[in-house]
Amino acid sequence: MLDSRNFIVRTLLADGLITEADLQRAQQHAMATGSDLLDSMVQLGIATSRRLAIANAKICEYPFVDLAHFDIDLRNARAIPRAVAERLTAFPLFTVDGVATVAMQDPLNLQAIDQLRQLLRCDVDPVVADVEELRSTIARAYTMVSQSGEEAQEAKEEQLTTGDEPIVAAVNQILSSAADANASDIHVNPEERDLLLRYRVDGVLHRQQGPARSAHEAIVQRLKVMAKLDMTQTRKPQDGKFRYRHKNENIDVRLSITPTIHGENVVMRLLRSAARIGPIGELGLPSDMQGWFQEAIQQPHGIVLVTGPTGSGKTTTLYTALNALNTPDVNIMTIEDPVEIRLPMVRQVQANSEIGLTFASALRSFLRQDPDIILVGEIRDQETAQIAVQAAMTGHLVFSTLHTNDAISTIERLQNMGVPSYLVASTLLASISQRLVRRLCQNCCVPEADQLLLTRVPAALRMLPYRTHAGCTACRNVGYSGRLAVFEMLRMTHRMRTMVEVNSSPTQLLEGAKADGFRTLFHNGVIRASEHVTSLSEVAAFAQQFLDAENLSLREAA
């Protein structure tokens, strides 16, 4: 790399990717810190390691390989010792017709190629890779590959510098990689001959390179130890939890193990700590809705409900409200199943139906604990609904969730649970319905060309520009990166209270709410799409859960 450094810099300058001023800044940084010029360029953000690798490949006239989208067999780690792979910054990708294709940082290092040729016992065909991706691949490969015999002993001497056993290191790598990918769930699925590892990122499952099938039982046992589950039980489902420390952040992991015909299936939910709970302004509520929400949660008593399917961000919305109200002069108590986020000064209780600690029984106990604010994980039955209403009537602010398709439906749902209409009208402050949509990658999004989607847009918004996903290296060729929430909010205004008391129909309630400024989830989703933060296809995906082509125009006209 030393010999090609100047050529790389010249290539970047010639291609207009850096300026002379950038180069001077990098040179000054390199002299001041004693680091390599190219490393200084990466540290200062002048160029990415990927860009440097592409330039190097161009100079050396070797192919560039994007390891992020390359299906790498991590078992190739057995071909060379980890110490050698790290020292040479090289990893074998595959072998065809007696020639091994090896990803390298420096394909012109002839000594390295000779050593690789001897270890692999075949000819070597170098390709260039991003050094950061290459190092990550090497680290992942040597911690997740299943080893035995002499290889295991070699691993202890050469790779496991922490002293951990290979399976412990493999589990740690699975958890760390998922946390780095911002995954919400980890799936470890045994097949007949393979072990399928998948991460759910932005609501979509993505397959990962994982350990060998032979490591499955040991991985499950390790997870049972971490969650304090019965290690001898393999024929019944088990649920547990444990806390994992990653990059100075505590991540609570909810573990579910279910027996299948191929072995125990594992799903882990990753729950971030309260450090991820920000102010109300970061929820993404439209400005008018944000004001309504803040007004509702500042009331001394009443009920605020958040609705939506599992995984739609309801808990985040509720805890954002609690975080805003959490002061030393306020007593906040919660009953949840499970406790997903921990907040200081909040008395949080884990429901346990096996010992009779249900939402309803906990609520009764809470009323004797002098609470100001109560959070109930979910109102799922008549008893819990009635006690929550009683708490709201006796001077408490109650937060909870319901499983309804939209905000308007919460009124009918409470009525069906046996809550009289006059009590719904007098205690309900607001109902929010929400969905999560994927956030468009701003590096590659393109104008929307799907005419069918465009025709579904309400007439008043049809002339606005919309964009859709394409895919690039920044978003791992998905077209999306991250998620955001879309909301609708029903306020219990004087008009709405009157309509609820006289048992108005859902259609009449919708008309009254719109007269007070209510906008549907679909309408608000289209507005977010017009802001180019998401796509119409994402909005249509959740809208079809409660809207079809026939009633769309009716609801939008109402």
Side-chain angles (χ1 to χ4, degrees):
M1 286 294 286
L2 291 173
D3 295 335
S4 61
R5 183 197 301 118
N6 291 334
F7 291 102
I8 292 175
V9 171
R10 291 178 191 171
T11 300
L12 296 175
L13 286 169
D15 292 344
L17 299 173
I18 65 171
T19 65
E20 291 288 351
D22 291 332
L23 178 57
Q24 291 178 6
R25 189 156 58 97
Q27 289 171 336
Q28 292 172 357
H29 181 273
M31 292 179 61
T33 60
S35 59
D36 182 82
L37 175 62
L38 299 184
D39 289 340
S40 292
M41 294 175 69
V42 174
Q43 292 171 20
L44 294 173
I46 295 172
T48 63
S49 60
R50 175 187 175 83
R51 174 52 61 188
L52 296 178
I54 293 174
N56 188 34
K58 181 178 179 181
I59 293 165
C60 299
E61 297 183 346
Y62 280 99
F64 171 79
V65 172
D66 188 349
L67 297 181
H69 302 104
F70 199 88
D71 191 12
I72 300 171
D73 188 347
L74 300 182
R75 288 171 293 187
N76 287 341
R78 292 192 178 97
I80 58 176
R82 178 172 184 167
V84 175
E86 290 180 336
R87 178 167 51 82
L88 302 181
T89 320
F91 189 80
L93 302 179
F94 54 84
T95 301
V96 177
D97 295 333
V99 179
T101 298
V102 180
M104 302 183 66
Q105 179 186 10
D106 183 8
L108 298 182
N109 188 336
L110 299 181
Q111 290 182 342
I113 293 175
D114 284 340
Q115 187 172 356
L116 290 168
R117 188 181 293 115
Q118 292 175 10
L119 289 168
L120 298 172
R121 298 179 183 176
C122 64
D123 288 336
V124 171
D125 185 14
V127 293
V128 182
D130 179 345
V131 64
E132 292 182 358
E133 289 184 355
L134 185 51
R135 287 170 179 161
S136 176
T137 297
I138 292 170
R140 190 168 73 253
Y142 285 93
T143 52
M144 298 185 72
V145 68
S146 177
Q147 299 178 338
S148 61
E150 294 180 359
E151 289 180 329
Q153 182 61 33
E154 183 182 7
K156 291 179 181 179
E157 296 174 356
E158 294 182 344
Q159 87 179 52
L160 297 178
T161 57
T162 62
D164 291 337
E165 294 296 324
I167 290 300
V168 174
V171 171
N172 290 342
Q173 181 65 33
I174 290 172
L175 292 168
S176 297
S177 297
D180 288 337
N182 235 1
S184 61
D185 300 88
I186 302 171
H187 291 241
V188 183
N189 313 128
E191 301 284 321
E192 185 175 0
R193 294 184 177 85
D194 299 314
L195 185 59
L196 181 62
L197 175 65
R198 295 182 292 176
Y199 296 160
R200 188 177 294 280
V201 180
D202 298 336
V204 179
L205 281 173
H206 298 273
R207 184 167 186 172
Q208 309 293 316
Q209 287 291 333
R213 178 65 174 84
S214 58
H216 170 251
E217 291 185 8
I219 288 175
V220 174
Q221 291 299 309
R222 171 59 184 166
L223 291 171
K224 287 181 179 179
V225 169
M226 296 173 73
K228 296 180 174 62
L229 298 180
D230 185 354
M231 296 178 62
T232 65
Q233 181 57 261
T234 61
R235 295 185 295 175
K236 289 184 179 180
Q238 293 192 72
D239 295 323
K241 60 183 178 179
F242 59 89
R243 175 167 284 190
Y244 180 70
R245 186 78 174 172
H246 177 69
K247 294 181 178 179
N248 298 320
E249 177 190 15
N250 286 327
I251 299 177
D252 291 318
V253 181
R254 198 167 72 203
L255 173 66
S256 174
I257 301 177
T258 301
T260 69
I261 59 172
H262 295 307
E264 292 180 284
N265 193 73
V266 175
V267 176
M268 290 176 276
R269 170 65 58 87
L270 274 58
L271 306 168
R272 257 61 180 196
S273 66
R276 297 241 171 179
I277 300 298
I280 291 175
E282 293 182 1
L283 279 176
L285 289 160
S287 57
D288 55 351
M289 215 177 291
Q290 181 176 321
W292 300 341
F293 184 60
Q294 289 178 319
E295 180 182 352
I297 68 173
Q298 292 295 335
Q299 299 302 310
H301 55 82
I303 301 177
V304 175
L305 295 175
V306 181
T307 77
T310 301
S312 59
K314 301 187 297 295
T315 301
T316 298
T317 298
L318 288 174
Y319 265 88
T320 299
L322 290 187
N323 194 42
L325 300 172
N326 190 18
T327 56
D329 59 335
V330 175
N331 182 21
I332 302 176
M333 303 194 70
T334 78
I335 172 67
E336 305 166 73
D337 185 19
V339 176
E340 296 186 7
I341 300 170
R342 304 184 186 188
L343 279 181
M345 296 192 299
V346 175
R347 305 303 97 196
Q348 297 174 276
V349 177
Q350 170 78 46
N352 187 343
S353 58
E354 293 182 359
I355 62 173
L357 184 56
T358 63
F359 288 152
S361 64
L363 266 176
R364 290 195 192 93
S365 175
F366 283 3
L367 295 179
R368 297 188 290 272
Q369 290 278 316
D370 187 31
D372 298 295
I373 300 171
I374 298 172
L375 184 147
V376 185
E378 180 186 351
I379 296 178
R380 59 177 64 157
D381 53 46
Q382 181 175 349
E383 184 180 16
T384 306
Q386 290 176 344
I387 299 174
V389 168
Q390 177 188 347
M393 291 176 60
T394 54
H396 305 89
L397 182 60
V398 179
F399 294 95
S400 191
T401 69
L402 272 179
H403 279 292
T404 63
N405 285 333
D406 52 35
I408 298 291
S409 298
T410 59
I411 294 172
E412 183 178 9
R413 177 77 171 133
L414 290 172
Q415 292 169 336
N416 291 339
M417 285 183 172
V419 181
S421 298
Y422 73 92
L423 287 182
V424 175
S426 61
T427 58
L428 185 62
L429 297 171
S431 175
I432 296 175
S433 186
Q434 65 182 76
R435 301 291 189 279
L436 290 180
V437 294
R438 289 184 291 175
R439 187 183 295 272
L440 274 176
C441 174
Q442 298 302 308
N443 292 326
C444 62
C445 59
V446 296
E448 179 62 75
D450 189 330
Q451 293 302 314
L452 179 61
L453 282 175
L454 292 171
T455 57
R456 292 194 62 192
V457 173
L461 304 174
R462 201 162 293 162
M463 298 306 295
L464 296 174
Y466 299 93
R467 300 185 76 82
T468 190
H469 64 290
C472 66
T473 55
C475 61
R476 295 183 176 270
N477 232 25
V478 175
Y480 298 96
S481 181
R483 289 195 290 179
L484 57 95
V486 176
F487 302 90
E488 68 178 18
M489 182 173 178
L490 171 67
R491 295 182 298 155
M492 291 301 289
T493 61
H494 177 72
R495 183 202 309 271
M496 293 305 299
R497 295 187 193 281
T498 302
M499 295 182 72
V500 171
E501 287 179 352
V502 299
N503 293 318
S504 299
S505 68
T507 301
Q508 291 171 328
L509 290 173
L510 179 60
E511 292 175 352
K514 286 191 173 183
D516 288 333
F518 176 83
R519 298 184 303 273
T520 65
L521 262 172
F522 181 77
H523 190 101
N524 287 325
V526 171
I527 291 176
R528 296 313 306 269
S530 72
E531 297 167 350
H532 301 167
V533 293
T534 191
S535 66
L536 288 176
S537 60
E538 283 291 291
V539 176
F542 77 72
Q544 289 191 8
Q545 298 175 23
F546 60 96
L547 289 176
D548 54 36
E550 287 75 23
N551 66 22
L552 172 61
S553 58
L554 174 64
R555 285 197 60 171
E556 288 302 326

